[in-house]
Amino acid sequence: MKKTRIDGLRAQTMTKKVKLRAVAAAMALVLALGGCTQATGASGKAAKTASGFLDAFFKMDYAGAAAFCDSKISALLTDTIPAAEYPSEQIREKALEASRGTSFKIVSASELHGSDSVLVCYEIHPFGAEKGQALRRTMTLVKAGRTFKIVALE
């Protein structure tokens, strides 16, 4: 009889441990999903747009970068910049290498006027520059339908 009672207590203890682990796992999942939803808010979406723009721009994919911008900046990227001529193919290749070797980091994204305008601060780490010599810049994005478009680069 004692053995059956001990086995019953062990089973109850095991059941409580399993329930406790399940609750802990559920809480961890809720916390993780909470972090994800913050990143997908207005400032998170704008930061993703900014990152996509900068990635395309520094790969010298100006048509790709233009897709993230309003019509004014888009026209500049697709009409003016690609038309610039390089004195030689060697200089063009060096410019391409330097541009692709440049990295960036999104520092912050802050809503300006509600969730329709977001100011994104970022750092540019130029190719070949010494560590700590980043250039800080900002861009303003405005909600256009379900996406954000870059309307100003400072």
Side-chain angles (χ1 to χ4, degrees), residues 39-60:
T40 58
S43 58
K45 288 179 183 178
K48 284 182 182 180
T49 299
S51 184
F53 166 78
L54 292 168
D55 187 52
F57 183 83
F58 287 117
K59 288 180 180 173
M60 296 177 83

Side-chain angles (χ1 to χ4, degrees), residues 12-30:
Q12 285 179 348
T13 304
M14 292 299 284
T15 303
K16 287 180 182 178
K17 285 182 181 179
V18 170
K19 286 180 182 177
L20 185 60
R21 286 185 183 149
V23 168
M27 287 178 63
L29 182 61
V30 167

Side-chain angles (χ1 to χ4, degrees), residues 69-91:
C69 303
D70 70 351
S71 59
K72 184 178 174 184
I73 297 173
S74 181
L76 178 70
L77 289 169
T78 57
D79 299 337
T80 309
I81 294 176
E85 293 185 26
Y86 294 96
S88 70
E89 183 63 24
Q90 185 179 12
I91 292 174

Side-chain angles (χ1 to χ4, degrees), residues 3 5 10-11 26 34 52 56 58 67 81 88 93 97 102 108 111 113 121 127 131 134 145:
K3 188 174 184 181
R5 185 174 170 169
R10 282 185 185 154
F58 287 117
I81 294 176
S88 70
E93 288 298 320
E97 178 185 342
T102 298
S108 66
E111 293 180 25
H113 308 288
C121 299
F127 175 75
K131 190 173 183 172

